[in-house]
Amino acid sequence: LVLAWAAWRADPTRPQTLHYIATEMHPFPVADLAKLHRAWPPLEFLAEALRTRWPQLLPGFHRLEFAAGRVVLTLLLGDAETSLRQLCASVDAFYLDGFDPQKNPQMWSASLLKRCGQLAAPNATFATWCVAGQVRRALGVAGFTVEKRPGYANKRQMLAGRLIERKHPENCEPAPTSKHAAVIGAGLAGCAIANRLAARGWHVAVYDRHTSPAQQASGNLAGIARPLLSRDDNLASRINRACFLHLEHALRQLDHTGFPPRRKLDGLLQIAHDVEHEAQQQTWLERSGLPSNFVHFLTQAQASQTVGGENPFGGWWFPTGGWANPASLCRAWLAAGGANIHWNGDSDITHVEHHGDSWRLFDHDGQCIGSAGTLILASGVHTFAQTSALPILPIRGQVSHLAAGQLPALSHAVCCEGYLTPAVDGLHCLGASYAKDAATEIRDSEHQENLQRLHSMLPQSAKSLQVDDFQGGRVGFRATTPDHLPLAGALPDLDGALTGDIRLRNFPRHPDLYGLLGLGSRGLVWAALLAEHLASLINHEPLPLPGDQTDALDPARFALRAHRHGG
């Protein structure tokens, strides 16, 4: 990356953005990376920027930005062929550096090089130091012209070539020519996608029926940020982990733009339910291979000392977990977009219609109050005709507030059956209830449920508290889906004709209509990376999530399942 970045900087005809995709099975720890970089002193300032944002070395895709978003690294950690099969991108140039084919044959397999040909943009190039006959033949079969050229340093020859033109190239849709979008909804999802499009030069109008952002579920005083672990490291866990790891990077970006969101992500404890669960947590973690800077186990004594409370059991300690104020994050995302984001509060949009090449937005009086070529619905539980068939269920959640001094002076957030934050603006946030009704009033019965949650985290403190001790609370509505995964992508057109072999990639879609919906109770974790993912999808850029995760988030997935089962 550093050498490509330097070459891009030196090129007066450079494109606006450099996307660099790298795949690595055994990535360097940051300390070893620093040793490697010492060989190129003139590039140290670029190398230092890379090291500063070097991710936790966990398997999966990692999206990092540099130079105010003009240099983008998508780092694929894992087996190269497996990773490239999950990559959705159009690649202009391939640097093939897989070491000696005799020592590392997997990196030079015919199937891997064939995948490179499938990812290649029209007129794509490749270069490699390797001149082995098997590599030349495999590249030719993959669709590249191959020629020998003089090598570098003590290498006598190298290979270079270009993709032979194909009639129907894959993954090479041009970027949109009109960059005007409207976003309906100003919670975490809406503000995040507005920010990511604005960062790409789009002009984005944000509409919300409230006079200020983050007035629904995103208006809670504090939200919890932690990853979701599972024994089988299932798809939901992998998506959640990628989002959690990206969150810190996204928040630091906002710090650099001068709009720091309020948060304290310096550790969170997930307490075990009982003695048996405590032993399972410790045993599983020892076998998981997860690095200690991502998660490690604390005994009961260590946990109580760390968080400053009398925890009943030990548990998982997430060093970069914690709490954040969602409303401040929403405001930061909008502010960082500058003049590219136009706020339209007090806009109660009741329906949207597509006319010609634009979407029109109408209020309850039938007046058109805005239009844009691209429309993103991020409206939580509020549905439109185009989303009415999506299985989004509103779940009521009540958070209870306790005044500082009523509990131990916690230094970190904790969770078990529920969650508890340190005092934020003089209040501990304890929650949250789950109810399938639309009532908005504060209920004593749900305060009582939250007291039971407190008992699983701080039993001694819970004994001395009653419902009357709460300093009020807040009710919000989570937008949930049957599989507990969000919807991020182009919205399906259920009136479209379904014929032949229907798959997600050819499922009928509304033109230029997208959704970022169904973030449930984990919106704080989901929003940043899913907005980056959706912005990349809209702008036809390399996607920051693997293909199987992209499909798992596709808004058409439920309709496709119904279609396949005759629904």
Side-chain angles (χ1 to χ4, degrees):
L1 168 67
V2 174
L3 289 171
W5 187 355
W8 174 81
R9 283 167 51 90
D11 186 351
T13 63
R14 62 180 176 268
Q16 182 177 0
T17 305
L18 170 65
H19 277 274
Y20 191 96
I21 302 165
T23 177
E24 181 56 62
M25 182 72 172
H26 304 289
F28 284 120
V30 70
D32 292 340
L33 202 61
K35 294 178 183 178
L36 176 68
H37 288 159
R38 289 173 193 159
W40 292 277
L43 301 177
E44 173 55 23
F45 73 107
L46 299 180
E48 182 182 12
L50 175 61
R51 296 195 303 272
T52 299
R53 299 189 182 178
W54 198 238
Q56 295 190 43
L57 302 181
L58 289 160
F61 287 21
H62 301 260
R63 171 63 59 88
L64 304 172
E65 289 187 4
F66 308 90
R70 297 185 65 198
V71 176
V72 182
L73 169 63
T74 306
L75 184 60
L76 321 182
L77 298 186
D79 174 74
E81 185 167 351
T82 301
S83 296
L84 292 179
R85 291 202 176 280
Q86 293 289 343
L87 177 66
C88 182
S90 178
V91 180
D92 296 303
F94 294 87
Y95 305 157
L96 303 177
D97 182 14
F99 300 100
D100 191 329
Q102 301 302 317
K103 297 179 180 179
N104 193 5
Q106 295 89 344
M107 285 295 293
W108 299 103
S109 69
S111 56
L112 186 150
L113 296 177
K114 179 181 178 181
R115 179 58 182 160
C116 291
Q118 293 168 343
L119 292 169
N123 216 30
T125 63
F126 82 87
T128 176
W129 66 275
C130 182
V131 294
Q134 68 188 71
V135 174
R136 298 199 307 271
R137 290 188 292 273
L139 285 166
V141 171
F144 293 94
T145 62
V146 181
E147 63 177 283
K148 290 183 179 179
R149 294 182 182 177
Y152 286 93
N154 60 351
K155 190 72 169 63
R156 190 169 62 89
Q157 291 179 315
M158 60 174 284
L159 294 182
R162 192 174 295 276
L163 182 73
I164 300 171
E165 186 177 354
R166 293 195 299 261
K167 292 184 178 180
H168 302 289
E170 299 180 20
N171 304 319
C172 59
E173 293 183 72
T177 54
S178 174
K179 293 189 173 184
H180 292 268
V183 175
I184 300 179
L188 286 166
C191 294
I193 184 59
N195 174 273
R196 299 322 299 149
L197 287 175
R200 290 162 165 81
W202 284 64
H203 294 279
V204 186
V206 179
Y207 296 85
D208 195 276
R209 60 192 177 93
H210 298 281
T211 56
S212 57
Q215 294 301 300
Q216 293 296 313
S218 299
N220 287 343
L221 183 58
I224 292 296
R226 70 175 176 92
L228 176 67
L229 303 186
S230 62
R231 290 188 179 185
D232 58 352
D233 198 28
N234 58 40
L235 191 63
S237 295
R238 296 197 301 275
I239 300 173
N240 183 273
R241 180 173 66 230
C243 290
F244 173 78
L245 293 173
H246 185 79
L247 177 62
E248 183 179 10
H249 174 68
L251 295 178
R252 287 184 179 178
Q253 280 182 297
L254 292 171
D255 290 343
H256 293 312
T257 60
F259 301 100
R262 296 180 61 199
R263 82 272 193 183
K264 194 168 185 284
L265 300 178
D266 60 352
L268 175 143
L269 177 69
Q270 183 176 338
I271 306 168
H273 300 150
D274 50 38
V275 173
E276 182 180 358
H277 186 225
E278 183 182 53
Q280 290 174 348
Q281 277 190 331
Q282 186 170 13
T283 301
W284 179 85
L285 200 56
E286 290 171 351
R287 297 173 179 172
S288 70
L290 294 171
S292 61
N293 63 348
F294 176 68
V295 60
H296 57 269
F297 182 81
L298 296 181
T299 65
Q300 185 274 335
Q302 291 170 329
S304 297
Q305 183 178 11
T306 299
V307 303
E310 72 290 7
N311 309 122
F313 306 103
W316 287 332
W317 174 252
F318 297 98
T320 56
W323 65 268
N325 176 258
S328 74
L329 179 52
C330 289
R331 291 191 295 268
W333 269 325
L334 294 181
N340 281 358
I341 295 180
H342 182 67
W343 168 250
N344 297 273
D346 199 21
S347 299
D348 191 8
I349 298 170
T350 59
H351 66 284
V352 299
E353 297 177 5
H354 192 255
H355 290 274
D357 58 356
S358 69
W359 285 93
R360 295 181 183 179
L361 286 56
F362 296 88
D363 64 13
H364 59 277
D365 293 323
Q367 297 296 313
C368 179
I369 61 173
S371 65
T374 298
L375 177 61
I376 300 100
L377 302 182
S379 47
V381 298
H382 180 65
T383 61
F384 295 87
Q386 293 80 2
T387 59
S388 60
L390 296 177
I392 299 175
L393 178 67
I395 300 292
R396 170 190 158 99
Q398 179 173 309
V399 177
S400 303
H401 293 159
L402 282 163
Q406 293 180 286
L407 294 174
L410 297 178
S411 54
H412 301 280
V414 296
C415 60
C416 185
E417 299 294 343
Y419 67 86
L420 176 67
T421 70
V424 181
D425 294 340
L427 295 173
H428 295 277
C429 298
L430 171 65
S433 63
Y434 286 79
K436 295 181 180 180
D437 65 72
T440 59
E441 78 277 2
I442 299 292
R443 294 172 176 164
D444 285 350
S445 61
E446 292 180 41
H447 276 328
Q448 189 63 47
E449 290 177 22
N450 286 337
L451 266 182
Q452 292 301 312
R453 294 180 173 91
L454 179 62
H455 190 274
S456 68
M457 296 178 282
L458 300 177
Q460 296 303 316
S461 297
K463 287 180 181 179
S464 62
L465 293 172
Q466 303 293 328
V467 168
D468 292 342
D469 294 318
F470 286 114
Q471 307 297 306
R474 192 176 188 279
V475 173
F477 292 86
R478 315 169 182 90
T480 64
T481 64
D483 58 11
H484 306 292
L485 288 175
L487 309 173
L491 291 179
D493 180 1
L494 300 186
D495 294 327
L498 297 175
T499 58
D501 182 19
I502 299 298
R503 303 189 181 193
L504 282 174
R505 66 173 178 238
N506 59 9
F507 200 95
R509 311 282 175 153
H510 291 287
D512 300 310
L513 179 64
Y514 301 86
L516 187 52
L517 301 159
L519 273 62
S521 59
R522 299 181 182 275
L524 182 61
V525 173
W526 296 122
L529 182 56
L530 296 193
E532 172 66 16
H533 177 74
L534 182 56
S536 299
L537 184 70
I538 294 171
N539 220 41
H540 303 304
E541 298 170 351
L543 298 185
L545 288 175
D548 59 346
Q549 297 180 21
T550 298
D551 290 348
L553 298 167
D554 194 310
R557 64 187 186 270
F558 298 106
L560 178 63
R561 292 168 195 165
H563 170 69
R564 287 176 172 172
H565 289 86

